[in-house]
Amino acid sequence: MATLQDIGVSAAINILSAVIFLLVFAVLRLQPFNDRVYFSKWYLKGLRSSPTHAGAFVRRFVNLDFRSYLKFLNWMPEAIRMPEPELIDHAGLDSAVYLRIYLIGLKIFVPIAFLAWAVLVPVNYTDNNVSIAQVTANVTASDIDKLSISNIPARSQRFWSHLVMAYAFTFWTCYVLMKEYAKVAFLRLQFLASEKRRPDQFTVLVRNVPPDPDESVSELVEHFFLVNHPDNYLTHQVVYDANKLSKLVKKKKKAQNWLDFYQLKYTRDSTAKPLMKTGFLGLWGEKVDAIEFQTAEIAKLSTEIAAERKRIANDPKSVMPAAFVSFKSRWGAAVCAQTQQSRNPTVWLTEWAPEPRDVYWENLAIPYVSLTVRKLLMGVAFFFLTFFFMIPISFVQSLASIEGIEKIAPFLKPIIERDFVKSFVQGFLPGIVLKIFLIFLPTILMIMAKFEGFTSLSSLERRAAARYYIFNFVNVFLGSVIAGAAFEQLSSFIKQSADQIPKTIGVAIPMKATFFITYIMVDGWAGIAGEILMLKPLIMFHLKNFFLVKTEKDREEAMDPGSLGFNTGEPRIQLYFLLGLVYATVTPLLLPFIIVFFALGFVVFRHQIINVYNQEYESAAAFWPDVHGRIIYALIFSQVILMGLLSTKKAAQSTPFLIALPVITISFHLYCKGRYESAFVRYPIQEAMMKDTLERAREPNLNLKGYLHNAYAHPVFKESEEEDDEAASSIEEFETESVLVATKRQSRRNTPLPSKASAPSSPSLPEVRRDNHQP
């Protein structure tokens, strides 16, 4: 059981680590040769030029202006200074709303902490139940537990203060959540009304197109929408199974990178041609001329790519029963996306199309009928993953006590009994070991989400985030509390009678606050500070810049910092909401540590969003109902935990009054769901019509069909067009082949050939050319 001294050692280690990370970052960001790493977003936007292109040779790499080092902490006020409207315009609504999660944490827990420390800490500390239990019941405890509810004896009238505070905390949390839900819903509608034209505003994804022996998928889609949406249908893009072609293109790109590397190496030292081994990972095999080998490999892959493109063009089985269907107006797309298209509800399934850069193309090739089976399999796999992970969690909990380590490794007793080592083991080691165990979990959960068949990156991340949250709840929280309490009180369980066990558990559960305090400092303090250092991207950029970069495009790819990572960041924040709400009435000592996490996280991630992260997609804060719901679930769980804890304390008079809290909270959640959630799952017809009307008034000659043509073509086809003109004509041939083909059925109208214009898959597509006719 960690003591105040152990917590102090852990705090010193983690504060020192955080300060070192921040100081190193403050120095590295001032160096010109790191400018593209720590300000990559501004380079990608074309708003910043490299300081290494001018000046003396040394000044290109090292900042010799010593006055700038005196202002090394300026990045903090600069991160906070940008107003939210400007931040939304700069980084998108997703990033701005993600930061509001940290703000909610501060809004909820700062007042709760003041109230808890003013009321509950004195109430807890002035009793003596823990001291009595240590003597009479042989219960493991520390001075920290004297600040918790464990220090109040059974049947005490002091529990009324905890009940009143539980009501106060619940009402305050619900108030903050309602205000934030209303604010985010307003921001979302405002963002959708003011954002620039994007292909997804006019496009729906149609899946499970029924087979027809007389028509191809393309013809069937065209005829169906010409008949059922005659005034609004504009064009469509069928979905191809291009996964094999995509793999070949990636393989060719990798070979091209190696060829660039060896050519650059040869230009620097032309005395000897570079050699390589042809075996696995270049570790063994025959030594050959690297340049000739990679050149031959690229030629071979180019032949395979051309053959695969030809196969896709001629094989009807390569066309999936799905299509991106575009309409003449946002109103038409909204009607189609939000209505049932057929009397058979299992066919012609429509949903809003993700924006082009949000599409996860590989999963569009998965047959729709197999999605249910895939989800079932992944549900079972996730259950077993969660269950079996309890084993390492239990091991981590054994490290949380000196007694547990001495039982496992008695020979370490002389070492770990030393004061500093003991404090380090109990105050720092458990948190860092648990964090190491969780390193590979996000990757596993993302693979599982991809297997389930979600068609957009945003939905993949939301699915992985939901499972990560469940995993954290079951393993990190419940596993640590229940398993840890059971292990620590094992001797008491054996010696006590059965009717005393619930009392022992009731005293033991609050004692796990010490473990979570150490985890918060490792993950929430040092971990957040380490995030801003960006050590891995920094090293990778300099390696790529030295070995691979030849053009400005290569340099842009090398400095790509990635995106925010909602699938890992949001569940991490939710764990802190859970800990704060559960322990607010049980062990208020935890709250200041959580407040530091939210404050530091807000500043650090605001800086990263402004200067570094380049968001992969824009969902207009579609994830907010999930965020709101998880905080509500944490609040309800905290109420149930308090009810169970007070029942073990035999607080018969006060416990029944807690029953109303979950009922009130669930009613509040249902109210918010009915009042605000529709703004995140539906697009109001009124808003769509207003935006269409304004656009027609401002741009009466807009060639919308030219704008939408090729917007939802598979990226591998676009890359082919850029790389190979001949291949591009081949792709165009089979992309437009199905626009109008003579069939046994007669369409109500002819669809003209699509425009040659193609739109890039960026969040805000540039203005397109205008013709003298309306589409």
Side-chain angles (χ1 to χ4, degrees):
M1 177 63 62
T3 63
L4 282 174
Q5 180 183 353
D6 302 335
I7 297 297
V9 170
S10 178
I13 293 173
N14 286 288
I15 291 173
L16 182 62
S17 300
V19 170
I20 291 174
F21 288 148
L22 295 175
L23 289 176
V24 172
F25 161 73
V27 173
L28 289 178
R29 71 186 288 269
L30 296 175
Q31 310 311 314
F33 67 96
N34 292 329
D35 204 59
R36 288 182 177 271
V37 177
Y38 293 117
F39 299 96
S40 54
K41 189 162 194 164
W42 298 99
Y43 281 94
L44 294 174
K45 283 176 168 284
L47 300 176
R48 191 179 180 97
S49 58
S50 176
T52 63
H53 289 167
F57 179 78
V58 176
R59 290 182 180 272
R60 295 183 184 182
F61 300 96
V62 181
N63 186 351
L64 299 179
D65 183 6
F66 294 102
R67 290 174 298 178
S68 63
Y69 291 95
L70 300 177
K71 303 176 181 178
F72 66 94
L73 291 179
N74 274 7
W75 66 269
M76 289 187 178
E78 288 174 0
I80 299 173
R81 192 176 298 129
M82 180 181 285
E84 188 173 62
E86 186 179 342
L87 179 65
I88 293 173
D89 184 61
H90 173 70
L93 186 63
D94 279 346
S95 298
V97 170
Y98 181 85
L99 289 173
R100 294 193 73 89
I101 307 177
Y102 288 98
L103 278 181
I104 287 182
L106 293 174
K107 289 179 181 179
I108 290 176
F109 290 116
V110 170
I112 285 179
F114 277 112
L115 200 57
W117 277 78
V119 177
L120 295 182
V121 170
V123 169
N124 295 336
Y125 187 72
T126 52
D127 220 315
N128 59 357
N129 186 57
V130 169
S131 300
I132 296 173
Q134 284 177 307
V135 175
T136 61
N138 193 29
V139 171
T140 304
S142 70
D143 292 338
I144 294 175
D145 299 305
K146 294 179 181 179
L147 301 175
S148 75
I149 199 172
S150 301
N151 202 36
I152 299 179
R155 299 186 179 91
S156 174
Q157 294 298 315
R158 297 189 180 211
F159 290 123
W160 284 102
S161 61
H162 296 83
L163 184 145
V164 172
M165 289 298 100
Y167 270 89
F169 297 164
T170 296
F171 288 144
W172 174 249
T173 302
C174 290
Y175 173 77
V176 172
L177 287 177
M178 184 179 67
K179 289 293 185 182
E180 285 299 317
Y181 215 149
K183 176 66 175 179
V184 174
F186 172 77
L187 288 174
R188 174 179 167 85
L189 293 176
Q190 185 182 52
F191 179 80
L192 293 175
S194 62
E195 74 173 335
K196 298 176 182 179
R197 185 189 312 112
R198 296 194 323 191
D200 54 293
Q201 297 170 352
F202 301 88
T203 307
V204 300
L205 174 60
V206 183
R207 307 191 72 180
N208 213 24
V209 176
D212 191 303
D214 299 324
E215 295 182 324
S216 67
V217 172
S218 182
E219 295 163 352
L220 190 59
V221 169
E222 179 189 23
H223 295 164
F224 179 86
F225 283 95
L226 282 174
V227 169
N228 296 287
H229 297 267
D231 299 323
N232 296 303
Y233 169 75
L234 181 62
T235 185
H236 71 276
Q237 182 82 45
V238 293
V239 174
Y240 292 92
D241 182 359
N243 288 349
K244 184 178 178 182
L245 178 60
S246 181
K247 291 177 181 178
L248 290 172
V249 171
K250 288 179 182 178
K251 197 173 178 181
K252 179 181 176 182
K253 188 174 182 180
K254 183 179 179 181
Q256 185 64 51
N257 285 338
W258 278 113
L259 178 61
D260 294 341
F261 166 72
Y262 288 123
Q263 287 178 336
L264 193 61
K265 184 178 179 181
Y266 184 62
T267 56
R268 290 172 177 171
D269 181 13
S270 57
T271 57
K273 284 194 172 184
L275 302 176
M276 63 172 288
K277 294 181 179 180
T278 57
F280 178 70
L281 295 178
L283 299 177
W284 56 74
E286 180 186 357
K287 277 191 176 183
V288 296
D289 186 308
I291 295 177
E292 291 181 1
F293 179 83
Q294 295 297 344
T295 303
E297 187 71 13
I298 291 172
K300 175 187 172 184
L301 288 170
S302 298
T303 304
E304 293 180 6
I305 289 172
E308 180 63 15
R309 284 201 301 265
K310 187 175 181 181
R311 185 193 69 79
I312 294 175
N314 298 324
D315 186 5
K317 294 182 179 179
S318 297
V319 182
M320 304 305 297
F324 291 99
V325 180
S326 299
F327 294 83
K328 297 177 181 177
S329 64
R330 297 171 182 83
W331 185 91
V335 170
C336 180
Q338 298 167 173
T339 55
Q340 183 174 312
Q341 303 302 310
S342 169
R343 66 178 66 182
N344 182 353
T346 64
V347 299
W348 295 107
L349 304 176
T350 57
E351 60 185 85
W352 279 108
E355 63 164 318
R357 61 177 180 166
D358 189 21
V359 177
Y360 188 68
W361 294 96
E362 291 181 16
N363 281 358
L364 286 174
I366 298 175
Y368 186 83
V369 293
S370 68
L371 295 182
T372 303
V373 177
R374 285 170 170 261
K375 290 178 181 178
L376 177 62
L377 291 174
M378 287 301 98
V380 174
F382 178 68
F383 171 80
F384 283 105
L385 174 67
T386 305
F387 178 78
F388 284 111
F389 211 87
M390 289 293 291
I391 298 173
I393 292 293
S394 299
F395 171 74
V396 169
Q397 286 307 314
S398 69
L399 294 177
S401 65
I402 294 295
E403 295 79 7
I405 296 177
E406 290 178 350
K407 288 177 183 177
I408 296 173
F411 59 89
L412 293 176
K413 185 175 180 178
I415 299 175
I416 62 178
E417 285 296 337
R418 296 178 181 176
D419 290 342
F420 178 78
V421 176
K422 184 177 180 180
S423 298
F424 176 82
V425 169
Q426 295 198 140
F428 181 75
L429 190 60
I432 195 69
V433 171
L434 179 59
K435 189 167 177 60
I436 291 171
F437 271 118
L438 297 175
I439 285 178
F440 299 105
L441 182 64
T443 303
I444 296 171
L445 295 179
M446 182 58 76
I447 292 172
M448 294 172 69
K450 290 177 179 178
F451 183 82
E452 287 186 84
F454 292 96
T455 56
S456 65
L457 296 174
S458 55
S459 59
L460 283 172
E461 290 199 343
R462 289 200 294 272
R463 181 63 162 185
R467 285 194 163 146
Y468 199 174
Y469 173 74
I470 295 172
F471 186 94
N472 278 341
F473 177 76
V474 173
N475 279 293
V476 178
F477 181 76
L478 288 183
S480 298
V481 169
I482 297 173
F487 281 123
E488 289 181 9
Q489 309 305 333
L490 186 60
S491 62
S492 297
F493 290 164
I494 295 173
K495 296 177 182 179
Q496 289 180 348
S497 59
D499 62 339
Q500 292 294 313
I501 292 177
K503 179 179 178 180
T504 305
I505 294 178
V507 175
I509 287 179
M511 295 178 185
K512 295 312 299 177
T514 56
F515 167 76
F516 287 117
I517 288 174
T518 63
Y519 181 76
I520 290 169
M521 288 188 289
V522 170
D523 179 70
W525 294 11
I528 290 291
E531 159 72 25
I532 201 170
L533 188 57
M534 296 185 62
L535 194 59
K536 180 181 175 182
L538 180 69
I539 294 172
M540 293 304 297
F541 169 76
H542 287 301
L543 288 176
K544 290 179 180 179
N545 192 43
F546 184 79
F547 290 112
L548 295 176
V549 170
K550 293 197 302 182
T551 65
E552 194 62 28
K553 184 178 179 181
D554 295 336
R555 188 169 284 106
E556 284 187 8
E557 292 180 358
M559 72 179 179
D560 184 12
S563 61
L564 197 57
F566 178 82
N567 60 309
T568 56
E570 193 268 346
R572 177 194 201 180
I573 303 172
Q574 291 292 348
L575 177 62
Y576 291 94
F577 277 107
L578 176 65
L579 293 174
L581 292 171
V582 166
Y583 280 100
T585 52
V586 175
T587 309
L589 180 66
L590 199 82
L591 295 176
F593 296 90
I594 289 179
I595 290 172
V596 171
F597 161 76
F598 281 114
L600 184 61
F602 176 75
V603 175
V604 166
F605 279 98
R606 210 171 200 272
H607 172 273
Q608 298 296 81
I609 285 171
I610 292 173
N611 297 300
V612 181
Y613 291 135
N614 185 37
Q615 196 64 10
E616 289 182 284
Y617 58 83
E618 178 58 62
S619 69
F623 56 81
W624 191 257
D626 296 333
V627 174
H628 175 89
R630 286 167 197 152
I631 299 175
I632 290 291
Y633 300 150
L635 183 60
I636 295 173
F637 181 77
S638 70
Q639 296 160 357
V640 174
I641 284 289
L642 185 60
M643 288 172 59
L645 185 56
L646 291 184
S647 67
T648 64
K649 293 283 192 176
K650 299 180 181 178
Q653 293 180 343
S654 57
T655 303
F657 289 92
L658 286 172
I659 298 175
L661 277 181
V663 177
I664 293 171
T665 307
I666 292 172
S667 301
F668 166 77
H669 177 56
L670 294 176
Y671 166 76
C672 288
K673 188 178 179 69
R675 174 65 180 84
Y676 301 112
E677 188 174 305
S678 61
F680 296 86
V681 295
R682 296 185 181 91
Y683 185 47
I685 297 296
Q686 181 185 26
E687 295 287 331
M689 181 59 76
M690 288 173 56
K691 201 166 179 64
D692 287 334
T693 303
L694 285 173
E695 187 172 74
R696 281 193 292 267
R698 292 171 181 172
E699 304 174 75
N701 297 321
L702 171 66
N703 178 17
L704 188 60
K705 191 164 189 175
Y707 174 78
L708 294 172
H709 168 64
N710 220 29
Y712 283 95
H714 198 292
V716 75
F717 298 154
K718 295 180 181 180
E719 291 175 10
S720 299
E721 289 175 358
E722 294 175 359
E723 293 176 0
D724 190 344
D725 291 336
E726 182 179 347
S729 62
S730 172
I731 294 300
E732 181 183 342
E733 198 174 19
F734 79 80
E735 285 289 334
T736 60
E737 181 181 24
S738 58
V739 172
L740 184 63
V741 180
T743 68
K744 296 181 181 179
R745 298 184 179 182
Q746 295 300 316
S747 173
R748 289 176 57 179
R749 66 187 67 183
N750 290 336
T751 305
L753 289 174
S755 163
K756 300 289 184 184
S758 65
S761 55
S762 59
S764 297
L765 291 161
E767 296 300 315
V768 297
R769 66 180 180 83
R770 292 158 175 78
D771 294 340
N772 294 324
H773 64 279
Q774 299 237 10

